């Protein structure tokens, strides 16, 4: 059943008009992370303080005794983890700096960086999404360091996410950085909101893809990419 009401948080900011509007359907509404314009007016230190207070309140409401030695540091730990680690990719100041190198070898074939470890969080439940990202591109004269591809994946994954959006954001970022449309991204991930709650399906994975340029228009390039990705 859907409940309709307006929730205000303790700062009087409207949280949601319709609870359960999206429910368990995991539908993304935009390729852009829905951020407010004033998202970064507050500094990280203040964000951590506020989240610590609010998370402590959630734990208190759940009935937990925050004077317990094991629990008393949790609100601060969670706040720091949110701001400095798992959601650090919301802030453009944390976007990895990427240097391009000239493709001296004139390698003009498909380059694939596969099995990139991926950790993200479902924006509908705030529980982990984890899996692998596979990226392919064809150089148009420039290449980037391989570890930078991992860093770009990590940056966009370090946000509350929807897997489709995450895939597109990585694809668009690489298209821009590499200056070529010939970019492919496949993400194969496991959603804790599907396995640990709700339908409790521990076996299903979600696969999403982004294909640009040659990968979109040339069946051969796409097949080659997918062959590399599936190689053991
Ligand atoms: Zn979810």
């Amino acid at each position: 059943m859907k409940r309709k009401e307006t929730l205000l948080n303790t700062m009087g900011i409207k949280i949601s008009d319709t609870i359960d509007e999206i429910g368990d359907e995991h539908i993304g509404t935009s390729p852009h992370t829905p951020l407010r314009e004033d998202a970064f007016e507050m500094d990280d230190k203040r964000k951590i303080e506020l989240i610590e207070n609010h998370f402590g309140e959630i734990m208190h409401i759940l009935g937990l005794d925050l004077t317990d030695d094991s629990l008393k540091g949790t609100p601060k730990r969670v706040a720091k983890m949110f701001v400095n680690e798992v959601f650090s990719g919301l802030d453009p100041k944390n976007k990895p700096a990427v240097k391009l190198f000239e493709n001296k070898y004139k390698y003009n074939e498909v380059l694939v960086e596969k099995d990139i470890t991926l950790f993200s969080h479902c924006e509908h439940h705030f529980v982990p999404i984890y899996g692998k990202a596979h990226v392919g591109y064809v150089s148009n004269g420039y290449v980037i360091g391989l570890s930078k591809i991992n860093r770009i994946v990590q940056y966009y994954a370090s946000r509350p996410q929807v897997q489709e959006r995450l895939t597109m954001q990585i694809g668009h970022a690489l298209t821009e950085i590499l200056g070529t449309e010939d970019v492919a991204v496949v993400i194969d991930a496991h959603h804790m909101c599907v396995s640990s709650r709700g339908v409790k399906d521990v076996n299903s994975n979600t696969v999403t893809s982004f294909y640009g340029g040659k990968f979109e228009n040339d069946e051969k390039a796409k097949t080659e990419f997918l062959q590399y990705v599936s190689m053991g």
Side-chain angles (χ1 to χ4, degrees):
M1 199 178 76
K2 289 183 199 299
R3 282 192 299 144
K4 282 207 176 191
E5 66 183 72
T6 299
L7 270 186
L8 296 178
N9 70 12
T10 49
M11 286 179 293
I13 297 164
K14 190 163 80 174
I15 300 171
S16 144
D17 287 327
T18 310
I19 297 172
D20 217 12
E21 210 166 51
I22 292 178
D24 276 344
E25 301 305 320
H26 293 85
I27 299 161
T29 50
S30 157
H32 302 289
T33 300
L35 280 167
R36 290 196 326 272
E37 283 198 7
D38 62 350
F40 306 107
E41 282 174 14
M42 194 187 286
D43 66 24
D44 286 357
K45 195 171 160 268
R46 183 72 183 134
K47 285 185 181 182
I48 290 171
E49 281 169 12
L50 285 171
I51 294 169
E52 178 184 351
N53 289 342
H54 288 290
F55 200 82
E57 206 169 311
I58 290 171
M59 292 174 70
H60 178 77
I61 293 164
L62 288 170
L64 293 164
D65 176 6
L66 281 157
T67 65
D68 184 273
D69 272 348
S70 174
L71 296 181
K72 68 181 179 201
T74 301
K76 180 157 208 144
R77 226 175 276 122
V78 170
K80 283 168 79 176
M81 178 183 74
F82 277 8
V83 175
N84 296 338
E85 298 176 271
V86 299
F87 302 133
S88 60
L90 286 171
D91 193 335
K93 79 170 187 296
N94 297 322
K95 193 171 178 178
V98 178
K99 217 172 114 197
L100 292 174
F101 299 94
E102 215 177 311
N103 178 12
K104 291 209 173 104
Y105 308 107
K106 304 279 171 238
Y107 178 80
N108 293 323
E109 300 298 320
V110 175
L111 184 150
V112 178
E113 170 88 353
K114 65 178 199 169
D115 295 336
I116 299 169
T117 305
L118 179 115
F119 283 108
S120 191
H121 281 78
C122 151
E123 72 180 21
H124 301 136
H125 296 95
F126 271 54
V127 294
I129 298 170
Y130 61 92
K132 281 170 177 174
H134 313 288
V135 169
Y137 73 95
V138 181
S139 165
N140 80 342
Y142 291 93
V143 293
I144 55 173
L146 293 180
S147 70
K148 292 292 180 189
I149 299 178
N150 299 54
R151 296 217 179 276
I152 289 160
V153 169
Q154 279 166 9
Y155 170 71
Y156 289 100
S158 299
R159 296 176 174 189
Q161 274 292 11
V162 175
Q163 189 175 324
E164 295 91 321
R165 184 203 295 135
L166 173 59
T167 312
M168 288 166 75
Q169 287 180 339
I170 295 166
H172 290 147
L174 288 168
T175 302
E176 198 190 311
I177 292 163
L178 292 161
T180 173
E181 296 282 315
D182 303 336
V183 170
V185 181
V186 166
I187 293 180
D188 183 353
H190 189 75
H191 291 239
M192 289 287 286
C193 59
V194 176
S195 60
S196 69
R197 51 158 301 286
V199 293
K200 294 199 171 173
D201 183 337
V202 293
N203 293 314
S204 66
N205 272 25
T206 305
V207 180
T208 46
S209 60
F210 169 98
Y211 295 112
K214 271 186 194 160
F215 295 102
E216 190 183 16
N217 306 316
D218 174 356
E219 216 36 60
K220 197 178 141 270
K222 188 196 250 184
T223 307
E224 197 184 334
F225 170 69
L226 291 174
Q227 265 168 1
Y228 292 141
V229 166
S230 61
M231 269 160 76

